[in-house]
Amino acid sequence: MEELTGAQLIAESLKTQNVEYMFGIVGVPIIEVAMAAQAAGIKYVGMRNEQAACYAASAVGYLTGRPGACLVVSGPGLIHALGGMANANMNCWPVIVIGGSSDRNQETAGAFQEFPQVEACRLFSKFSVRPSSLEVIPSVVEKAVRASMYGRPGACYIDIAGDMVNAKVDRSQIRVVSCCPDPPVSLADHGAVAEAVSVLKTAKRPLVIIGKGAAYSRAETALREFVETSGLPFLPTPMGKGVLPDDHPHCVAAARSRALLQADVILLLGARLNWILHFGLPPRFDPNVKIIQVDLCAEEMGNNVRPAVALLGDINAVVTQLLQGICKDGWKYGSGTEWWSLLRNKIAANAKISKTLALQSTVPMNYYTVFHHVSQLLPHDCIIISEGANTMDIGRTMLNNYLPRHRLDAGTFGTMGVGLGFAIAAATLERSNGEKGRRIVCVEGDSAFGFSGMEVETMCRYNLPVVIIVVNNNGIYSGVDPETWREMAKMGDLTSIAPPVTLLPEARYDEVMAAFGGKGYLVRTVEELRSALELSLTDWQRPSLLNVLIDPSSDRKQQLSGLRSSRRDSARAVC
């Protein structure tokens, strides 16, 4: 008779469900689970913080469609992972979190790191469970993986009692559970599709909004054919960028505010009318706009704005249905309409302003100068990870994406600190997919980098050739220059004097990378920026970090549409 430990059973069950990647931090009682996972053929990446580990595992779920696993210890370890679980749930990304917990015979006795973990995780997950025995572990793992992917994807939690990790069971007592298939694909009601096509045909100022739900559903091929056949303008949400290329002639991202404000019919594809899209309400939207809402979650329909037509189903499948509908009579929205003319004029005006800022030759540089030169050097197929306030906001408009699922950022939850975890996940996948794979470029604000900066050691340890660009303005939103900082220090206690948004001026983040064996560059000028980035992009042996010092007072260009918002709203509007 063959006996299996609980750790082996967990690992084998995950492998059976095609969970190929695990990120975590080991300790009592789950060290053996990580070892068993490696023995079962699962790639294990040891991280430096549980939040970053969970961010990485969830990014694998988004990029591949099958959840990654996050392995954490009990108590504080699990609590640290809750941020990643909440972020995955808000983004609708599948992830499985496995947490060790206290032994069953020590419950309520004050065991080491005892905590009500299953109950705590219910607030941050779709499914939270503690297997009652070793025999049920395969079924529990299958249900967790299935729940993470089916319906609206999200986080699932499995709690493993410490005494179950090394306990043994005979294999003959384990019921064989097969791998759950990919989620079934659902189509929208045919009558609703016909109604949606009719509404689109009557629109004077139509707009397609492409969300990250379209990216997740692999809708890029159908969407390209739909947009090019229909002639409609489209606007991607930040992580909808690249589903269709940012340089596509129908992309109106550079006229975002105008497009949202004046559209009379909006086809909403896998995006939510939440804060990212200003809730679909005035003054950002026409009060009489008609929304055609396409989503796989019935509960999302009518959230904030009642749709003129609701299409419930898989984005890829529904777009195919819509394409068939407009092809019946050869309808196409004209390229010479007043609406197209207005959008093109606005795009040109905004591009002119951005170009003027980008070509400034002053030192220290501004955001636009940095992103202008970075955009010229980045590979066409690189995966861009971005976080920060102005860094992410301005970078979204200037760093193009040409392929789907090639941008990861702070997302629906607006989470800072996700960048390095996402980058590690993407780089790990790329290594598995080919000898070199695509370039992973992580563009960070200096504040955002600080949330998970120690993960550069993880990158160095696994020789992941990530290129990190820290756009360093010495603060959160804005900072001060070194001379001002020194003058403030002379005035007294900095805890009473220094503005809360300030960080240490010209902090040497490049030396943090160098300390672990990566390559760090201190960058002040355009020439140094271009040289350092070119060298980093040719180095496939180690990660690199460019510490790009910019003007602490550098900011976004002003809005010309009459919709100028506060600094806080400007930063929030980009996720």
Side-chain angles (χ1 to χ4, degrees):
M1 295 296 182
E2 181 187 1
E3 287 188 320
L4 296 174
T5 66
Q8 291 172 317
L9 195 51
I10 295 165
E12 288 189 9
S13 299
L14 289 169
K15 185 67 174 177
T16 296
Q17 299 305 320
N18 286 340
V19 175
E20 300 290 342
Y21 299 91
M22 179 180 285
F23 304 82
I25 299 178
V26 296
V28 176
I30 49 81
I31 296 174
E32 291 85 356
V33 176
M35 297 170 66
Q38 287 182 314
I42 295 172
K43 294 177 173 63
Y44 176 81
V45 178
M47 306 286 283
R48 299 304 298 264
N49 181 278
E50 289 90 355
Q51 275 191 342
C54 200
Y55 296 146
S58 66
V60 165
Y62 172 66
L63 293 170
T64 69
R66 302 290 296 195
C70 175
L71 182 67
V72 298
V73 299
S74 51
L78 184 275
I79 292 170
H80 292 165
L82 293 179
M85 293 176 67
N87 189 68
N89 248 20
M90 290 293 186
N91 275 334
C92 306
W93 292 358
V95 66
I96 305 297
V97 177
I98 300 170
S101 63
S102 50
D103 291 0
R104 288 170 291 183
N105 64 356
Q106 296 176 354
E107 288 184 5
T108 75
F112 175 66
Q113 296 184 334
E114 184 176 358
F115 186 74
Q117 297 180 182
V118 175
E119 293 88 340
C121 288
R122 287 200 175 106
L123 288 174
F124 307 96
S125 64
K126 295 180 65 181
F127 176 67
S128 182
V129 65
R130 184 176 193 175
S132 58
S133 66
L134 294 178
E135 288 83 355
V136 301
I137 284 176
S139 296
V140 166
V141 170
E142 188 275 341
K143 183 169 184 178
V145 170
R146 177 161 40 89
S148 76
M149 298 189 301
Y150 282 36
R152 173 177 279 179
C156 292
Y157 176 67
I158 302 173
D159 195 74
I160 302 296
D163 58 306
M164 292 178 67
V165 172
N166 290 312
K168 294 183 179 181
V169 62
D170 192 274
R171 187 183 288 276
S172 64
Q173 299 178 30
I174 306 300
R175 183 169 67 91
V176 175
V177 178
S178 61
C179 179
C180 71
D182 291 337
V185 175
S186 55
L187 296 171
D189 177 78
H190 292 291
V193 172
E195 185 179 358
V197 170
S198 177
V199 171
L200 278 174
K201 289 179 178 180
T202 62
K204 293 183 178 180
R205 299 180 303 279
L207 179 68
V208 178
I209 296 180
I210 300 174
K212 68 175 175 288
Y216 185 79
S217 72
R218 274 64 179 167
E220 53 267 18
T221 301
L223 251 175
R224 180 185 281 270
E225 187 174 358
F226 174 78
V227 164
E228 293 176 353
T229 300
S230 67
L232 296 172
F234 73 88
L235 172 70
T237 65
M239 274 192 276
K241 282 165 60 70
V243 174
L244 297 184
D246 282 340
D247 62 353
H248 192 285
H250 288 223
C251 180
V252 296
R256 181 182 188 271
S257 294
R258 183 66 56 85
L260 294 179
L261 177 62
Q262 297 189 1
D264 64 349
V265 172
I266 291 177
L267 175 60
L268 191 67
L269 298 172
R272 288 169 275 180
L273 292 177
N274 53 20
W275 66 273
I276 297 172
L277 290 173
H278 317 290
F279 311 103
L281 298 172
R284 294 286 190 169
F285 285 73
D286 186 315
N288 298 312
V289 65
K290 295 180 180 179
I291 304 291
I292 302 170
Q293 188 171 6
V294 184
D295 204 285
L296 54 70
C297 179
E299 290 84 353
E300 189 61 37
M301 298 299 184
N303 198 22
N304 294 319
V305 177
R306 177 169 292 182
V309 186
L311 301 177
L312 180 65
D314 174 80
I315 305 297
N316 185 40
V318 175
V319 169
T320 301
Q321 289 180 283
L322 290 169
L323 176 61
Q324 293 168 349
I326 65 169
C327 285
K328 283 183 179 179
D329 58 7
W331 173 82
K332 186 167 187 173
Y333 184 73
S335 61
T337 62
E338 183 180 353
W339 177 231
W340 260 121
S341 178
L342 186 152
L343 292 173
R344 290 184 181 118
N345 289 340
K346 186 61 178 175
I347 290 170
N350 284 342
K352 184 177 180 180
I353 296 169
S354 296
K355 185 176 181 180
T356 299
L357 290 168
L359 295 180
Q360 289 181 1
S361 57
T362 55
V363 176
M365 296 179 285
N366 65 44
Y367 284 104
Y368 291 86
T369 301
V370 171
F371 288 128
H372 171 72
H373 291 280
V374 168
S375 67
Q376 291 184 335
L377 296 175
L378 290 187
H380 189 276
D381 64 348
C382 73
I383 296 176
I384 299 173
I385 291 112
S386 184
E387 60 175 335
N390 289 332
T391 298
M392 183 172 61
D393 190 359
I394 300 169
R396 169 179 59 89
T397 66
M398 297 192 69
L399 300 180
N400 282 349
N401 290 97
Y402 305 97
L403 296 167
R405 297 168 297 282
H406 277 55
R407 177 184 166 90
L408 302 169
D409 64 25
T412 306
F413 213 25
T415 309
M416 294 300 153
V418 296
L420 272 63
F422 286 176
I424 288 168
T428 302
L429 287 173
E430 287 305 304
R431 171 166 291 171
S432 300
N433 292 336
E435 184 178 344
K436 287 186 176 180
R438 293 162 291 187
R439 266 299 182 189
I440 312 300
V441 180
C442 192
V443 185
E444 303 265 310
D446 50 329
S447 171
F449 176 77
F451 283 93
S452 56
M454 189 55 72
E455 297 301 338
V456 298
E457 186 274 334
T458 307
M459 295 177 181
C460 291
R461 184 169 10 115
Y462 291 103
N463 296 317
L464 299 173
V466 175
V467 178
I468 302 173
I469 302 172
V470 177
V471 185
N472 187 352
N473 70 345
N474 304 338
I476 304 167
Y477 304 117
S478 63
V480 299
D481 58 66
E483 183 178 351
T484 302
W485 184 263
R486 287 191 292 270
E487 290 301 314
M488 288 194 303
K490 293 176 183 177
M491 296 166 61
D493 187 350
L494 285 169
T495 61
S496 301
I497 297 170
V501 296
T502 55
L503 297 172
L504 185 68
E506 300 190 356
R508 295 300 301 272
Y509 303 112
D510 51 302
E511 293 185 351
V512 175
M513 175 64 84
F516 297 110
K519 184 65 178 178
Y521 299 90
L522 181 65
V523 171
R524 296 181 185 272
T525 67
V526 167
E527 293 75 20
E528 290 172 346
L529 173 62
R530 295 185 69 95
S531 174
L533 185 52
E534 287 172 345
L535 288 171
S536 298
L537 290 172
T538 59
D539 188 349
W540 290 89
Q541 304 304 314
R542 55 187 172 177
S544 304
L545 188 150
L546 283 64
N547 185 13
V548 184
L549 305 183
I550 68 167
D551 185 348
S553 63
S554 181
D555 203 351
R556 304 177 64 200
K557 66 180 174 64
Q558 290 199 357
Q559 302 289 309
L560 300 182
S561 62
L563 297 173
R564 175 66 174 165
S565 56
S566 69
R567 176 187 290 275
R568 175 179 170 84
D569 287 339
S570 297
R572 291 173 66 239
V574 304
C575 299

